[in-house]
Amino acid sequence: MWMTNAVALCLLALVASAEDKKLSSHATMLADNSANLAFSLYHNMAKDKDTENILISPVVVASSLGMIALGAKASTASQVKKILNADKLKDEHLHAGLSELLSEVSDAKTRNTTWKINNRLYGPSSVSFTDDFVKNSKKHYNYDHSKINLRDKRSAVNSINEWAAKSTDGKLPEVTKEVQNPDGATIVNAMFFKPHWDETFNDKLVDSRSFLVSRSFTIGVPMMHHSGLYDFYEDTENNIFVLNMPLGQKQASMIFIMPHYVEPLQRLEKLLTRKQVDTWISKMENKAVALSIPKIELEVSHNLQKHLAKLGLTEAVDKAKADLSNISGKKDLYLSNVFHASALELDVKGNPVDTSIYDSEKLRDPKLFYLDHPFIFLVKDNKTNSILYIGRVVRPKGDMLRDEL
Ligand SMILES: *[C@@H]1O[C@H](CO)[C@@H](O)[C@H](O)[C@H]1NC(C)=O
Ligand SMILES: *[C@@H]1O[C@H](CO)[C@@H](O)[C@H](O)[C@H]1NC(C)=O
Ligand SMILES: *[C@@H]1O[C@H](CO)[C@@H](O)[C@H](O)[C@H]1NC(C)=O
């Protein structure tokens, strides 16, 4: 008896300490800086004319940058710290802080989210990873390592895709169709993200609707519907709706930003700064909202190499200049691909709804929030202020219904 009590007390103490645990000052600073990185990276990627859907996890990008810093020396290393706005941070604080941040925000219990994050560094067959690097990159960044013969492109691509599919339980079947520059190192982030909502959607109310990619192009998608009280703001000056959907434990939430009517997202993107998003959030009010959100699976893969170069990571990606000698003990590597790939699933599942609200006056005259045309979203962490995901949905998967062009 006393044993079980002691165990129970111990467990209680563990739970309490996990909840109260404050983030270290380094992790707090890095969380804040990674949120800035979210916007600069998003804008850089949105400039690319060929890019449709965007799906990036800024905290995972920050963590991959940390892994590069761990393997880099001299100015190659200082460039990484500069992008993270952590020039003045000691190396050990950088690595410990990023590691702390990622384990905090990816905690499935507190964030009530399925988030599988798998990271791998592929090197050419000729490379030998040092034991220290293998150990430390696993410890801080949960990276594993693999050698791959990138000269045999087809089998290299297959093996990267097979690993990604396997480590995401098949949710992310493909990271890439090709790998460039077989003599370099390749980073792969393979992720699966599925939020569990604070309020569940009724599965029986899911119906088939249209998503308007543009005025003349429509895709059929299943749509889920729910009425409830949500933080909502209508920016009537800019014709934009902003809605906050809390996840299960209210430690993180998904924020949808959508123009009133179907239009290309460029106008909205011009307004999209961290400050503007904070302003929208601060103006939100808890209101009755009739929500309709597509029930979709989105798989997006980006090669971030050139975007990171634009943000200042010019040496690591340059064969002549890169000093990644802390990876192999020799100056024989540079970064040739940074594949950042995620599958996102928006599903009905969430916590049971307090049905007493339906009998009250609170749900009268709800605002309509009908997510049926291109939108931007963020998954924001409430405790650390970091951004778990930022992205846009321009073209969901589904059958084309109408093309009047
Ligand atoms: C290189 O790695 C070693 C061992 O992990 C570490 O002690 C050293 O600080 C690293 N050098 C740089 C410049 O990061
Ligand atoms: C989220 O919370 C609910 C209710 O506590 C639980 O059933 C579900 O498994 C959780 N999901 C995750 C991914 O933590
Ligand atoms: C963030 O947490 C605070 C305090 O727990 C809570 O009042 C607030 O509603 C949360 N915000 C969101 C967006 O979930």
Side-chain angles (χ1 to χ4, degrees), residues 244 250 253 382:
N244 184 60
K250 291 199 171 75
S253 60
N382 200 0

Side-chain angles (χ1 to χ4, degrees), residues 231 244 246 250-253 255 281 382-383:
D231 287 345
N244 184 60
K250 291 199 171 75
Q251 295 257 9
S253 60
I255 296 165
I281 291 173
N382 200 0
K383 175 171 170 187

Side-chain angles (χ1 to χ4, degrees), residues 83 99 114 123 228 363 366 385:
I83 298 175
S99 164
T114 305
L363 288 183
N385 251 328

Side-chain angles (χ1 to χ4, degrees), residues 33-155:
N33 297 351
S34 73
N36 292 329
L37 177 68
F39 289 89
S40 47
L41 193 54
Y42 179 98
H43 284 296
N44 204 288
M45 296 172 70
K47 274 187 209 146
D48 222 328
K49 292 277 176 294
D50 299 329
T51 303
E52 291 191 314
N53 301 328
I54 293 180
L55 188 55
I56 37 176
S57 170
V59 285
V60 171
V61 174
S63 157
S64 295
L65 286 167
M67 187 278 293
I68 301 170
L70 189 69
K73 279 187 183 163
S75 47
T76 304
S78 47
Q79 279 192 340
V80 181
K81 286 173 120 181
K82 195 142 192 233
I83 298 175
L84 289 169
N85 203 359
D87 316 52
K88 301 212 170 64
L89 216 54
K90 282 193 186 139
D91 284 352
E92 70 236 51
H93 292 152
L94 175 76
H95 303 312
L98 285 170
S99 164
E100 186 188 342
L101 174 61
L102 194 67
S103 50
E104 170 70 43
V105 299
S106 61
D107 182 340
K109 278 214 187 68
T110 52
R111 273 28 175 212
N112 205 222
T113 290
T114 305
W115 193 10
K116 289 185 195 299
I117 307 171
N118 308 284
N119 306 311
R120 206 174 233 196
L121 180 70
Y122 287 94
S125 326
S126 57
V127 78
S128 61
F129 299 111
T130 69
D131 291 345
D132 264 347
F133 179 74
V134 168
K135 194 179 86 207
N136 288 326
S137 56
K138 180 83 194 165
K139 176 176 155 206
H140 294 300
Y141 300 112
N142 206 16
Y143 259 82
D144 64 20
H145 304 83
S146 179
K147 288 197 250 188
I148 195 169
N149 181 4
L150 291 172
R151 288 186 202 285
D152 182 356
K153 284 201 177 173
R154 179 182 298 237
S155 91

Side-chain angles (χ1 to χ4, degrees), residues 302-317:
H302 303 286
N303 190 347
L304 297 182
Q305 197 231 29
K306 70 171 190 238
H307 302 293
L308 291 173
K310 289 251 173 60
L311 299 183
L313 193 81
T314 55
E315 285 198 6
V317 302

